[in-house]
Amino acid sequence: IEPGKTWAFTGAPHSAWGSGDPLAALDFAPPSTVGKCSSSTDYAVAVADGEISRVDTGVAMLDLDGDGDDRTGWVVLYLHISSYEKVRQGTLVKAGEYIGHPSCEGGSSTGTHVHIARKYNGEWMLADSAVPFNLDGWVAHNGTTAYLGYLLKNGKIITASEQAAPTSLISVNK
């Protein structure tokens, strides 16, 4: 999420790819696109420094160890990234730099959003685990079922909501 923007946390830990386990992915939707399928004018940004090791329809893989191989070390999957202005394979990015626009491209989607998940040495990493998905201090926690759950930071809770309820809104300070 770009600094100064507010998005909705629309999916707590759920399947990284396809359906079922592992519950490794999180979903975030930019404003005014919840429930619609179109490319957003907002940008999804890099969660860390790295190299874009692979791009495909709706996909950008961010390799954090810098070897350009998304089968080794830590990698972040961005799914549903529009082909319009998407970062190119081989690009070195810093945390906060543009990856591309949220969309419905690639995979199954009920609305414009970004689906992110982590891999370590080629294996999906659970979002709520001993090494939790931590986005600038916001730590992912499972709910009673997939897609339900919350993010926790310094005692503050943001609850996932497919309808972008006020309790699901997350902002990044400038």
Side-chain angles (χ1 to χ4, degrees):
I1 301 171
E2 297 174 85
K5 301 283 184 163
T6 300
W7 286 26
F9 176 46
T10 56
H14 62 283
S15 179
W17 195 265
S19 60
D21 293 333
L23 302 181
L26 305 173
D27 290 344
F28 297 90
S32 73
T33 60
V34 175
K36 297 178 186 173
C37 274
S38 61
S39 183
S40 172
T41 56
D42 284 325
Y43 285 93
V45 299
V47 298
D49 297 352
E51 179 180 352
I52 301 302
S53 57
R54 184 166 56 95
V55 295
D56 203 341
T57 302
V59 171
M61 299 292 282
L62 177 61
D63 174 35
L64 304 186
D65 66 9
D67 68 358
D69 187 345
D70 60 45
R71 298 168 298 176
T72 62
W74 285 98
V75 177
V76 178
L77 161 74
Y78 293 80
L79 181 59
H80 308 304
I81 301 296
S82 171
S83 56
Y84 176 69
E85 296 185 326
K86 181 169 50 180
V87 68
R88 293 183 178 183
Q89 186 169 326
T91 302
L92 298 176
V93 296
K94 296 282 186 193
E97 290 184 344
Y98 299 154
I99 297 293
H101 299 283
S103 74
C104 291
E105 291 182 33
S108 176
S109 178
T110 58
T112 300
H113 71 285
V114 175
H115 170 102
I116 60 173
R118 308 169 303 161
K119 282 185 168 186
Y120 183 71
N121 289 337
E123 298 291 327
W124 295 114
M125 297 300 295
L126 297 173
D128 184 354
S129 67
V131 183
F133 211 143
N134 181 328
L135 297 165
D136 194 34
W138 289 103
V139 177
H141 294 276
N142 292 339
T144 54
T145 63
Y147 292 94
L148 299 179
Y150 59 96
L151 298 173
L152 177 65
K153 179 179 182 178
N154 299 327
K156 183 174 180 189
I157 294 175
I158 295 177
T159 306
S161 167
E162 291 180 353
Q163 290 77 36
T167 56
S168 74
L169 300 180
I170 184 168
S171 299
V172 174
N173 296 326
K174 289 185 179 185

